[in-house]
Amino acid sequence: MKVLVIGGGGREHALCWKLKRSPSVSEVICAPGNPGIAKDARCINVNAGDIDGLVDLVRKEQPRLVVVGPEVPLVAGLADRLRAENFAVFGPNRAAAELEGSKSFAKTLMDEAGVPTAAFETHTDPDAAETCIRNWSAPIVIKASGLAAGKGVIIAQTVDEAVAVARDMLAGNSFGDAGSQVVIEEFLEGEEASCLFVVSGDTILPLDSSQDHKALLDDDKGPNTGGMGAYSPAPCVTKEIADEVLETIARPVIAALKDRGIEFIGTLYAGIMLTDDGPKALEFNVRFGDPECQPLMSRLKSDLGEVLLAAAEKRLDGVTLDWDEHAALTVVVASDGYPGSFVKGQIIGGLDDVEAVGTTVFHAGTGEKDGAIVNSGGRVLGVTALGDSVAEAQQTVYTALKYLDWPGGFYRKDIGWRALKREKSE
Ligand code: AMP
Ligand code: GLY
């Protein structure tokens, strides 16, 4: 079958890479894609935010399956538009995508469904927000309710800082419209993990666990980013914890949506904090995690095309997923300056040498200039390797990265450290 993937980042490269290797898939196309994706798919230059353009493209290409990678077109209702024309789509409709598009909606739904999560209040009025904050003690978590590319969460270390952050968000200074409503949350302590599920109506199929590193710098310091590296499986997610997340978090949330007449078809991504009181939901996304998708796809043995088509056609029941026993680890290489501003168009060399060491280089923010690969985004590459352990996968990636020739890029040197610590102690 012919599959169209929408998006052009590292997640979409990993999806296209895996779909190309799926026996059920004869052709992969990707809009807009990127120069790395072009090795695995035919790229067509329609942007993931151009909903009309994408609908026209699907009408023209008539793919058997459309896989929507990023949240923006989902929240904008692309899946609804395509389903209305009877295309098979993997990705939720607009109403279900609100789980990611509005943190306030997600928290309210979790409350209704009795899902364990941090205590919270939502506010649109700065004075009311301040009153709430002054009743709590620091640290306090302040979140822009709308989409903010993973950057809209501030952990304030003092009450005064929390007030300033909330006022700034509500004034529209830091996240524009996304900050016109804020969620004020209790700070949870623990280790974080990403629990992803392929969902089709009542059927919820868990993926193997993964963990990403959201902080910009080594030792998990610095501001939050979309993710600077990831690995799978995450040793902190035992079988018991995975079952608990499925039963206490994923199932009740999907059921609560259903109670509101909302069906979910796509990936449910639960960001989890493993607290002393058990796993609690930090957030939901309605798509594969990025970079988590990269180690996950590197380990998936099943035919991805078949699984996603079964979900899109509501016949996921009975489908199982096979995983490579190896661990997989991805290190993100970002442009100097990310998550702030950075210089685009710098030439990136040595990519073949990096892969020759035994890695797969997934392209996230790359472009092409005069035949050379250049940076075009904040997160640029996801260098990924398999290993008998997370430590071995990590060693391969960092050895390979010595061959990367790009002075304007940087990466964390400690991706996987929590897993390594656990592996050492076992
Ligand atoms: P979110 O986008 O809501 O997952 O938040 C991004 C990151 O902020 C999470 O991955 C956590 O590292 C951190 N975070 C969010 N909410 C909390 C919380 N209630 N307590 C502690 N850390 C949090
Ligand atoms: N890596 C976090 C996310 O995809 O939202």
Side-chain angles (χ1 to χ4, degrees):
M1 67 171 155
K2 175 166 159 180
V3 181
L4 168 64
V5 174
I6 289 163
R11 165 185 44 224
E12 288 76 26
H13 191 180
L15 291 172
C16 288
W17 177 88
K18 185 64 200 166
L19 286 165
K20 189 190 174 189
R21 287 154 182 79
S22 299
S24 68
V25 177
S26 52
E27 188 186 5
V28 188
I29 46 185
C30 187
N34 66 39
I37 293 177
K39 287 193 210 158
D40 294 307
R42 173 162 58 91
C43 294
I44 301 171
N45 196 13
V46 180
N47 225 295
D50 177 3
I51 306 300
D52 289 336
L54 290 169
V55 173
D56 284 345
L57 176 66
V58 174
R59 284 182 188 141
K60 179 164 164 261
E61 290 286 344
Q62 295 284 318
R64 180 77 180 78
L65 172 68
V66 181
V67 178
V68 186
E71 61 277 17
V72 169
L74 293 167
V75 171
L78 175 62
D80 309 58
R81 295 267 307 266
L82 296 176
R83 286 197 177 102
E85 298 191 23
N86 290 320
F87 290 105
V89 184
F90 184 79
N93 280 354
R94 182 207 299 258
E98 278 298 279
L99 263 189
E100 176 164 2
S102 164
K103 286 183 190 291
S104 147
F105 172 76
K107 292 293 282 190
T108 306
L109 202 75
M110 282 193 258
D111 220 23
E112 260 176 48
V115 166
T117 186
F120 73 101
E121 281 189 25
T122 57
H123 288 283
T124 51
D125 175 65
D127 294 333
E130 173 157 0
T131 306
C132 161
I133 292 167
R134 295 217 179 271
N135 280 326
W136 291 18
S137 49
I140 298 177
V141 184
I142 311 289
K143 301 183 176 184
S145 181
L147 290 183
K151 297 166 204 162
V153 175
I154 307 289
I155 297 170
Q157 297 303 332
T158 66
V159 165
D160 286 342
E161 184 193 351
V163 169
V165 166
R167 283 192 175 277
D168 195 55
M169 278 187 190
L170 289 170
N173 294 335
S174 22
F175 300 102
D177 249 11
S180 61
Q181 187 173 29
V182 295
V183 178
I184 299 166
E185 256 184 48
E186 163 203 16
F187 177 77
L188 297 178
E189 256 171 294
E191 186 166 352
E192 268 182 80
S194 308
C195 295
L196 279 70
F197 305 86
V198 171
V199 180
S200 181
D202 291 332
T203 310
I204 305 180
L205 184 62
L207 273 68
D208 253 9
S209 60
S210 56
Q211 195 171 52
D212 83 342
H213 294 259
K214 290 211 170 73
L216 181 71
L217 306 171
D218 285 6
D219 301 323
D220 292 330
K221 299 248 163 64
N224 264 339
T225 69
M228 294 301 291
Y231 53 95
S232 169
C236 61
V237 182
T238 59
K239 167 89 177 64
E240 291 69 36
I241 290 176
D243 289 346
E244 197 176 340
V245 172
L246 173 64
E247 298 306 332
T248 65
I249 295 173
R251 269 196 219 291
V253 153
I254 296 299
L257 283 176
K258 194 179 170 186
D259 286 346
R260 295 187 173 208
I262 301 170
E263 180 176 62
F264 195 105
I265 294 177
T267 307
L268 176 71
Y269 166 135
I272 302 294
M273 187 71 89
L274 301 175
T275 72
D276 289 344
D277 301 329
K280 294 192 178 182
L282 288 173
E283 64 156 347
F284 291 111
N285 297 318
V286 297
R287 34 99 192 149
F288 289 101
D290 195 359
E292 292 96 321
C293 191
Q294 303 173 40
L296 283 168
M297 289 306 125
S298 302
R299 292 188 55 235
L300 183 66
K301 291 207 292 195
S302 310
D303 183 320
L304 179 67
E306 233 169 57
V307 174
L308 301 187
L309 183 66
E313 294 183 336
K314 296 195 225 175
R315 44 180 186 77
L316 189 64
D317 204 20
V319 173
T320 53
L321 296 176
D322 274 342
W323 298 95
D324 192 322
E325 291 297 316
H326 289 94
L329 180 134
T330 299
V331 174
V332 169
V333 186
S335 303
D336 276 344
Y338 173 78
S341 59
F342 49 86
V343 179
K344 291 186 186 177
Q346 307 167 45
I347 291 177
I348 301 170
L351 291 171
D352 290 343
D353 299 331
V354 171
E355 287 204 316
V357 175
T359 68
T360 303
V361 177
F362 293 113
H363 287 226
T366 65
E368 213 162 350
K369 196 169 75 185
D370 305 328
I373 300 290
V374 298
N375 69 321
S376 67
R379 294 188 293 166
V380 178
L381 305 169
V383 180
T384 305
L386 293 171
D388 286 337
S389 58
V390 176
E392 198 183 290
Q394 188 208 50
Q395 195 179 11
T396 304
V397 172
Y398 284 126
T399 303
L401 274 167
K402 296 199 177 103
Y403 296 91
L404 184 70
D405 181 10
W406 179 27
F410 75 98
Y411 52 87
R412 277 182 61 162
K413 307 292 190 296
D414 65 345
I415 298 301
W417 69 266
R418 286 177 195 276
L420 261 65
K421 210 164 119 184
R422 264 173 212 269
E423 283 177 353
K424 256 194 191 145
S425 70
E426 270 162 17

